[in-house]
Amino acid sequence: MMTPYLNPATPAERRYNSAHRATCNVVERTFGLLKSRFQCIHKSGGALQYSLDMTCRIVATCANLHNIATTRGIPMEISEPDSDEDDDPIPPLQPADRTSAA
């Protein structure tokens, strides 16, 4: 894993830190985008409870599905990032109306 220089002394080290910061920003925005489109990633609390191999497959699949959706013009459903949806109880299912019109 590549890390930034703590105290960059040369112009090359400063350029590296700048490129590193820009790359980290792109990666963070990408994960934010995937988490907003795919709630299975967002609701995980930051750690999918699967093996590393399976987690990589899940993230790669979500990225592929996002690319397909983007290509086909399927809009994202925007959800509030700090919403308390997990705290809201799930309403019980209502019985189906079984009256017939006949």
Side-chain angles (χ1 to χ4, degrees):
M1 173 163 289
M2 300 177 77
T3 58
Y5 289 98
L6 293 178
N7 298 310
T10 66
E13 290 175 350
R14 286 190 284 278
R15 284 193 311 272
Y16 169 81
N17 277 2
S18 178
H20 186 274
R21 185 172 37 256
T23 302
C24 285
N25 287 337
V26 169
V27 170
E28 290 297 324
R29 284 194 311 271
T30 301
F31 277 115
L33 184 83
L34 291 175
K35 286 170 67 173
S36 66
R37 185 181 284 269
F38 301 100
Q39 294 299 305
C40 64
I41 297 174
H42 177 69
K43 300 296 183 190
S44 68
L48 293 175
Q49 301 299 313
Y50 297 100
S51 67
L52 180 59
D53 182 56
M54 182 58 75
T55 299
C56 290
R57 289 176 185 216
I58 291 170
V59 172
T61 300
C62 289
N64 286 330
L65 290 172
H66 170 74
N67 289 340
I68 291 168
T70 301
T71 300
R72 294 184 179 183
I74 300 171
M76 285 183 45
E77 293 181 17
I78 305 299
S79 63
E80 295 295 321
D82 295 326
S83 66
D84 295 331
E85 292 174 5
D86 286 343
D87 297 336
D88 294 339
I90 298 172
L93 292 174
Q94 300 298 319
D97 184 17
R98 300 198 189 268
T99 59
S100 64

